[in-house]
């Protein structure tokens, strides 16, 4: 730490000297004519002779090799990096003296033509140079970079400066989201925005963050899902809507969970959950092909193929075929509790059968679903917003999508019978009063909206962060969120 402190003192002394000499350390009047990518494109499109253009560009210095009266240095902007060559006899004594005071990490602006060095590397011949921002702190030493995950997450700006893989991951994240948006817009969906602060935290079973609005003197909740507002829009006549935005859930932090995360939710009138399974296959194949160049990817050493039709299996059948249950256990709560105990799956005796089944599924089946798999037929008690199956009223017309051993999406035919919805909410209220803080609260306003008529509708939510993890081979959700939540650093 002392060495770093000494280096900081040296740089601050240099800065004081530059200020005393009248140099502007933070000017804001430099205009760029070309990005580094523009320059590289000009080189690629030229003939054997170098382009005759005089380029004006800027970026952060990432390396300097000084040779007395001349120097090579590298700098980069958001589009790429390039080498430049500066000579004292070309730029003049004052400009070169200023350059000698510049450091790795500074932002500079330069202008000049392009040429090839003896080694064949295209390089800008610096004719003019300006300091645009003087960096006070030193960048981490490039050879070691930033390898400590917590430091990378806390100081993501340094991670982006030092680690090209991180930069590329977040560029890819943006491309994935834009590809999803493009796919939905091309299928006539309307992008909308719904409230982040809601008087009732609904649309999912989760613990919300709570706040207070002073002017209205009312309790509000950061939304756990946009679902109930999006379905109000379908009631209002928007037959195809979607939103890509943040949800907030007051839950644990892990490699799979962040309290603030990005979700896509979309709703389509006159569609069923089976339509959405087909639609989801098509969407994932489109996004993977657009962003990755293939419908086959590798995730954590496993080859995953999005092409063709994906496996579809009921929750009950998956528990038998993959989870190891016997068929006669499925209707016997005591047998399920015994099986759970034997397999070290934590469930309480007061849990309803449907919740015991899904808990067993989470532990014994989900981790084994590597290839894209739709699980269907979820019990009513764990699906308070889903339409009941006409064939098996104890189940719902619902699916969850699993890829790489984790849930990626959840969709269902929407419950549009207001009386049934009110009864489901009331059953959830009983669950809340029994101690289940994640049970869905009563929402009379939403029931009233249903009484005006929700057309037959299907809806789905897709975890964007988990989709990005999948397509970038990231093992933790913190790798794909620019600023993940972390516990405060200890002080003192």
């Amino acid at each position: 730490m002392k060495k770093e402190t000494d280096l900081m003192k040296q740089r601050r002394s240099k800065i004081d000297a530059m200020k005393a000499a009248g140099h502007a350390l933070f000017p804001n009047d430099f205009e760029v004519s070309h990005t580094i990518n523009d320059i590289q494109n000009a080189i690629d499109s030229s003939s054997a002779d170098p382009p005759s253009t005089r380029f004006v560009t800027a970026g952060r210095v990432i390396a300097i090799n000084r040779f007395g009266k001349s120097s090579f240095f590298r700098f980069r902007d958001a589009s790429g990096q390039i080498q430049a060559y500066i000579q004292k006899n070309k730029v003049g004594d004052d400009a070169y003296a200023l350059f000698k005071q510049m450091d790795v990490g500074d932002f500079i602006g330069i202008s000049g033509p392009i040429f090839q060095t003896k080694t064949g590397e295209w390089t800008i011949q610096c004719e003019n140079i300006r300091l645009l921002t003087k960096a006070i702190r030193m960048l981490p030493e490039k050879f070691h970079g930033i390898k400590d995950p917590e430091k990378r997450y806390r100081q993501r700006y340094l991670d982006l400066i030092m680690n090209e893989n991180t930069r590329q991951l977040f560029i890819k994240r943006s491309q994935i989201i834009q590809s999803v948006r493009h796919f939905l817009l091309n299928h006539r969906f309307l992008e909308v925005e719904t409230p982040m602060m809601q008087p009732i935290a609904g649309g999912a079973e989760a613990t919300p963050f709570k706040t207070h609005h002073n002017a209205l003197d009312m309790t509000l909740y950061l939304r756990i899902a946009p679902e109930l507002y999006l379905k109000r829009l379908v009631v209002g006549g928007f037959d195809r809507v979607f939103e890509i935005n943040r949800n907030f859930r007051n839950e644990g932090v892990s490699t799979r969970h962040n309290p603030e995360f990005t979700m896509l939710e979309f709703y389509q009138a006159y569609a069923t959950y089976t339509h959405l399974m087909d639609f989801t296959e098509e969407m994932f194949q489109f996004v993977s092909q657009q962003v990755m160049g293939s419908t086959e990817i590798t995730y954590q050493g496993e080859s995953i193929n999005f092409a063709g039709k994906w496996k579809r299996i009921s929750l009950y059948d998956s528990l038998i075929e993959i989870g190891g249950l016997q068929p006669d256990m499925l209707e016997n709560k005591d047998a399920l509790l015994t099986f759970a105990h034997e397999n070290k799956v934590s469930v309480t005796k007061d849990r309803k059968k449907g919740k015991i089944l899904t808990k067993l599924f989470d532990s014994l089946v989900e981790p084994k679903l590597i290839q894209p798999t739709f699980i269907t037929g979820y019990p009513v008690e764990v699906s308070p917003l889903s339409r009941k199956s006409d064939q098996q009223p104890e189940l719902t017309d619902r699916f969850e999508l699993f890829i790489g051993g984790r849930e990626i999406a959840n969709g269902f035919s929407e419950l549009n019978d207001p009386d049934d919805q009110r009864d489901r909410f009331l059953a959830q209220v009983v669950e809340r009063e029994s101690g289940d803080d994640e049970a869905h609260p009563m929402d009379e306003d939403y029931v009233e909206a249903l009484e005006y008529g929700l057309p037959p509708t299907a809806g789905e939510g897709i975890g964007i962060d988990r989709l990005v993890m999948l397509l970038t081979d990231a093992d933790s959700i913190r790798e794909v969120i620019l600023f993940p939540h972390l516990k405060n650093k200890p002080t003192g």
Side-chain angles (χ1 to χ4, degrees), residues 9-10 39 61 129 153 165 168 231 236 248-249 257 301 374 411 421 423 452 466:
K9 288 179 179 178
Q10 291 174 20
I39 297 171
V61 177
I129 186 167
Y153 304 149
N165 287 343
Q168 292 305 316
K231 286 192 283 193
F248 307 86
R249 298 182 184 178
H257 296 94
F374 291 111
Q421 183 66 82
D423 290 343
Y452 284 97
R466 291 187 178 183

Side-chain angles (χ1 to χ4, degrees), residues 215-432:
L216 297 176
D217 190 23
M218 65 182 292
T219 298
L220 291 171
Y221 302 90
L222 292 181
R223 76 176 186 195
I224 56 176
E227 176 169 343
L228 301 188
Y229 284 90
L230 289 170
K231 286 192 283 193
R232 285 175 170 93
L233 296 180
V234 183
V235 170
F238 288 147
D239 287 348
R240 299 187 182 203
V241 293
F242 78 95
E243 182 172 7
I244 301 174
N245 221 320
R246 305 299 254 189
N247 289 347
F248 307 86
R249 298 182 184 178
N250 200 346
E251 57 190 16
V253 177
S254 71
T255 58
R256 296 189 180 194
H257 296 94
N258 193 67
E260 177 182 358
F261 59 97
T262 303
M263 283 286 290
L264 158 69
E265 286 209 18
F266 61 97
Y267 293 83
Q268 180 178 345
Y270 315 110
T272 68
Y273 78 110
T274 57
H275 291 132
L276 290 196
M277 286 191 279
D278 295 337
F279 188 74
T280 302
E281 290 173 351
E282 186 181 349
M283 179 192 296
F284 275 56
Q285 289 160 5
F286 173 84
V287 172
S288 182
Q289 187 67 54
Q290 286 286 307
V291 178
M292 308 300 295
S294 172
T295 54
E296 187 168 352
I297 65 167
T298 298
Y299 183 72
Q300 302 298 292
E302 297 276 2
S303 178
I304 295 175
N305 195 343
F306 294 132
K309 300 299 292 181
W310 299 351
K311 183 175 181 177
R312 302 180 185 190
I313 182 173
S314 73
L315 177 72
Y316 284 12
D317 288 343
S318 73
L319 285 166
I320 295 168
E321 293 180 19
I322 303 170
L325 278 75
Q326 297 300 314
D328 57 358
M329 293 180 181
L330 297 175
E331 302 302 328
N332 187 326
K333 182 177 177 180
D334 290 337
L336 291 173
L337 288 170
T338 299
F339 187 84
H341 177 72
E342 291 172 349
N343 287 273
K344 297 181 173 57
V345 179
S346 178
V347 293
T348 58
K349 290 183 179 180
D350 59 348
R351 284 266 178 165
K352 290 189 175 181
K353 181 169 66 73
K355 293 200 172 184
I356 297 172
L357 288 169
T358 53
K359 189 74 173 179
L360 288 168
F361 173 88
D362 292 344
S363 297
L364 304 177
V365 179
E366 179 177 342
K368 299 175 183 177
L369 301 178
I370 305 303
Q371 297 304 318
T373 304
F374 291 111
I375 301 295
T376 62
Y378 281 79
V380 170
E381 57 256 46
V382 296
S383 311
L385 300 167
S386 307
R387 184 182 184 277
K388 290 180 182 177
S389 166
D390 291 332
Q391 291 73 37
Q392 296 176 279
E394 73 278 9
L395 303 179
T396 57
D397 291 338
R398 175 185 171 191
F399 69 84
E400 288 191 352
L401 170 63
F402 296 86
I403 309 174
R406 65 187 52 155
E407 179 197 346
I408 301 294
N410 178 27
F412 41 84
S413 297
E414 302 298 334
L415 175 57
N416 61 347
D417 178 341
D419 294 335
D420 189 356
Q421 183 66 82
R422 180 178 284 107
D423 290 343
R424 303 264 200 105
F425 279 160
L426 289 172
Q428 289 284 302
V429 169
V430 172
E431 293 286 323
R432 289 178 72 86

